[in-house]
């Protein structure tokens, strides 16, 4: 499919052309540039499925990348919903019981339990959840002891 861009790249010289699409492995970068004459490439689905495609030393197994992604997301206090969305794009076996458990997870604790990371969550994740009240399970901010809860009254 890349060959369709050859005439566009030629017509636009000396302007740089960025190829977008079907970059799913590290080797695809050079193959695409050679096939089209494009200056550079970009990817979305390939990187979302396995961010290690950028490793010149070779890709890591998708599950290994997913585990490291979740650990990093927790350490960096990434929003749970964003982490779950990305993880669901990365997870290789959509028919496994682990995948189904991840689909049903509602918080980092259940996500980590599904992935066999319960010990990691206990040591690092729970502390972060405790220290950051905005990351509670239901996403509700707890009322501080010094605050008076208020009730809205319809006028």
């Amino acid at each position: 499919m890349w060959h369709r861009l050859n005439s566009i790249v030629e017509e636009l010289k000396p302007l740089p052309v960025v190829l977008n699409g079907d970059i799913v492995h590290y080797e695809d970068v050079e193959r695409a540039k050679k096939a089209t004459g494009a200056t550079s490439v970009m990817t979305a689905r390939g990187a979302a499925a396995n961010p290690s495609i950028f490793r010149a030393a070779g890709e890591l197994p998708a599950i290994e990348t997913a585990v490291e992604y979740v650990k990093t997301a927790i350490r960096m206090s990434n929003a749970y919903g964003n982490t779950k969305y990305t993880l669901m794009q990365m997870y290789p076996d959509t028919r496994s019981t682990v995948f189904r458990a991840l689909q049903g997870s509602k918080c980092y604790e259940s996500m980590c339990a599904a992935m066999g990371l319960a010990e990691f969550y206990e040591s690092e994740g729970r502390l972060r959840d405790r220290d950051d009240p905005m990351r509670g399970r239901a996403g509700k901010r707890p009322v501080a002891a010094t605050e008076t809860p208020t009730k809205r009254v319809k006028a």
Side-chain angles (χ1 to χ4, degrees):
M1 185 187 299
W2 293 330
H3 67 278
R4 296 183 203 171
L5 295 176
N6 293 356
S7 59
I8 295 169
V9 171
E10 280 302 312
E11 188 67 32
L12 292 175
K13 279 188 179 175
L15 297 175
V17 174
V18 179
L19 174 120
N20 182 21
D22 297 328
I23 305 295
V24 293
H25 301 287
Y26 184 81
E27 301 80 31
D28 292 341
V29 174
E30 286 308 314
R31 280 191 322 111
K33 287 168 65 176
K34 277 184 184 173
T36 63
T39 314
S40 56
V41 300
M42 59 183 176
T43 183
R45 287 179 298 187
N50 190 342
S52 73
I53 69 170
F54 301 107
R55 284 177 35 115
E59 294 175 36
L60 297 172
I63 191 67
E64 186 178 325
T65 305
V67 165
E68 288 306 312
Y69 171 72
V70 169
K71 287 179 176 180
T72 300
I74 289 171
R75 288 179 181 129
M76 301 302 293
S77 297
N78 193 41
Y80 169 77
N82 293 345
T83 302
K84 182 177 177 179
Y85 175 82
T86 302
L87 180 63
M88 300 313 290
Q89 306 304 307
M90 295 171 72
Y91 210 81
D93 186 2
T94 59
R95 293 186 177 164
S96 70
T97 55
V98 173
F99 183 83
R100 294 190 193 282
L102 289 171
Q103 280 183 313
S105 69
K106 303 283 185 217
C107 61
Y108 274 116
E109 184 175 12
S110 58
M111 176 185 282
C112 287
M115 296 180 74
L117 297 173
E119 190 175 304
F120 170 82
Y121 180 79
E122 287 299 319
S123 67
E124 295 198 37
R126 189 171 301 284
L127 292 173
R128 293 183 196 291
D129 283 348
R130 185 195 68 208
D131 294 341
D132 184 356
M134 294 304 286
R135 291 188 64 225
R137 281 191 178 164
K140 296 178 183 173
R141 186 178 70 81
V143 177
T146 57
E147 288 183 69
T148 305
T150 58
K151 199 176 206 178
R152 293 185 188 248
V153 180
K154 290 185 180 178

